[in-house]
Amino acid sequence: MTMLTPEYSASLRDPKNALEDLRRKLGPIYGGEYLATLFHSLIRRERPRTVLELGTGLGVTTAWLASAVKENGIGRVYTYDNGSQFEGIRNAAASLLQEVSWPATSETKDYARFLEEVWRRAGVDNEIEFRLCDIDVRALSAGSGAIEGQGPVDMVFADYDHSPGNVVRLLGYLLPLLSDSGSVFVDSAPTHIPTHELIQRVLAELNSGSLTSFSDLGLGEEQHSRIRRLSSTSYFSYMPMIESEHRKQNSTAWIKALPRDLRASGFFLH
Ligand SMILES: C[S@@+](CC[C@H](N)C(=O)[O-])C[C@H]1O[C@@H](n2cnc3c(N)ncnc32)[C@H](O)[C@@H]1O
C-alpha cells in the first residue's frame, strides 16, 4: 500500500486540484477539456444567474461551470442527462481517476451517485441541480422543468444532439427563456455542415423579424411573443468555434444575443 505524506493527502482534498484532475483526466472523453476553462472565464466575466447544461456526461464541464458560479457568489447550474452513456464509459472513467488517486471508484455503478461524488470532491455540489431524465426542451419551455420560476436563462450549453432538427427545437423552445444578452452554445454544430448552415439561416430570419423556422414546433402565443420581443431588443450573432484537433466533438457553436441598444442595456459604457 502507498503511504501518502500528509501534505500530499491534503492536496488531493483541495477542490481546485480535483477540478483540474477532472478536466485533464476525464475532459478528453467528451472533448471538453478546454471548453470547460473557456466557460469558466466567460461566467466569471458575465456573471450569469441561470446556467443550463443539456447533457451532463461525466460532469466535468458542469463542475467548471459551477466553480465559476461559486466564485461569483451568485447563480446556479441546472444540468440534465438520462445517463444513457454512463454504462459504456464508467470503467474507463474510474481507471483514469485512479491514476490521480481518486478513491471515487466505489461510486461508479450508480450514475447519480458518481456525479454527486465528483461534484462534492470538486467543492461545487451546492451550486448544481442535476436532473436524471430525458431532455425535453418543450417541457422546459412550457415551464414544467427545474428552471421554472428562476427568471430568464443566461447561458445554455447543449451537448447531446447537434442535428439540424434538434437545433431548431432547441432555439424555438429555449429562446423564449433567454435573457437579452444570453448565449446558447451547441456542441459539435459548426463542423456538421447541415447544422452550421441551418444556424446561419435561422439567425438571419430572426434578425429580420421572422419566426418561420419555428412554424412546425407548435409554439404558443406567449412563446411567440417572447421570441419576438427578444429579437426586437437583441441581435443574434453566431461564432463557430472550431478546434484544430481532428477529432469528433471538435467544435462549438456560440449563438449570442446582444442588445441592439447598448445604452439602454445597463452595461457600463465609456
Ligand atoms: C457529450 S455528453 C455530455 C458531455 C458534457 N456536457 C461535458 O462537457 O463533459 C452527452 C450526454 O448526453 C446524454 N444524452 C444524450 N441524449 C440524451 C437525451 N435525449 N436525454 C438526456 N440525456 C441525453 C448522454 O447520456 C451523455 O451523457
Side-chain angles (χ1 to χ4, degrees):
M1 193 216 276
T2 322
M3 294 301 287
L4 303 179
T5 63
E7 292 76 20
Y8 186 62
S9 299
S11 78
L12 291 178
R13 287 194 298 272
D14 184 336
K16 281 250 178 329
N17 292 339
L19 265 180
E20 191 53 25
D21 285 342
L22 277 178
R23 190 182 78 79
R24 282 187 304 110
K25 286 292 171 184
L26 300 192
I29 292 182
Y30 284 123
E33 66 275 25
Y34 296 114
L35 195 60
T37 48
L38 179 69
F39 284 159
H40 182 277
S41 300
L42 201 65
I43 291 177
R44 290 292 277 134
R45 283 174 64 108
E46 296 194 352
R47 297 172 65 80
R49 304 292 201 273
T50 301
V51 178
L52 174 63
E53 181 186 39
L54 302 174
T56 316
L58 295 169
V60 178
T61 305
T62 328
W64 279 82
L65 299 170
S67 84
V69 157
K70 183 176 181 177
E71 287 168 30
N72 284 345
I74 189 158
R76 200 139 192 85
V77 178
Y78 298 85
T79 185
Y80 290 72
D81 202 299
N82 58 14
S84 54
Q85 295 178 5
F86 186 61
E87 184 61 29
I89 53 175
R90 66 187 174 90
N91 288 336
S95 48
L96 285 164
L97 287 177
Q98 260 171 352
E99 286 174 19
V100 283
S101 306
W102 272 50
T105 47
S106 63
E107 303 297 354
T108 53
K109 288 213 165 57
D110 180 301
Y111 182 47
R113 286 183 61 193
F114 171 85
L115 291 174
E116 221 172 86
E117 174 68 17
V118 159
W119 295 330
R120 191 187 56 72
R121 222 167 256 272
V124 292
D125 46 334
N126 288 333
E127 281 68 33
I128 299 170
E129 300 277 352
F130 171 59
R131 298 286 179 263
L132 180 59
C133 62
D134 287 331
I135 295 161
D136 183 349
V137 281
R138 186 176 195 157
L140 280 175
S141 186
S144 50
I147 51 175
E148 185 183 7
Q150 301 300 318
V153 176
D154 302 298
M155 177 175 169
V156 178
F157 175 38
D159 192 10
Y160 70 110
D161 179 353
H162 60 269
S163 63
N166 196 52
V167 171
V168 169
R169 287 168 53 77
L170 277 172
L171 293 174
Y173 290 124
L174 296 181
L175 288 183
L177 306 180
L178 200 70
S179 61
D180 286 358
S181 52
S183 289
V184 178
F185 295 89
V186 187
D187 207 68
S188 308
T191 44
H192 185 61
I193 296 302
T195 307
H196 173 66
E197 291 176 350
L198 172 117
I199 293 173
Q200 293 174 85
R201 198 169 60 246
V202 173
L203 298 191
E205 270 180 24
L206 281 170
N207 286 331
S208 65
S210 160
L211 273 58
T212 314
S213 302
F214 304 141
S215 53
D216 292 339
L217 298 182
L219 297 177
E221 196 38 54
E222 174 70 15
Q223 289 162 313
H224 273 123
S225 71
R226 286 192 193 184
I227 300 178
R228 276 206 198 85
R229 193 197 58 79
L230 183 63
S231 64
S232 68
T233 55
S234 293
Y235 176 83
F236 295 98
S237 58
Y238 169 41
M239 173 60 72
M241 300 192 290
I242 304 179
E243 289 182 5
S244 57
E245 202 69 32
H246 288 203
R247 61 175 178 178
K248 276 190 172 177
Q249 301 179 315
N250 63 343
S251 66
T252 309
W254 182 358
I255 296 161
K256 168 94 180 146
L258 189 67
R260 290 176 189 263
D261 182 357
L262 285 183
R263 285 187 189 82
S265 65
F267 291 127
F268 172 75
L269 303 175
H270 50 88

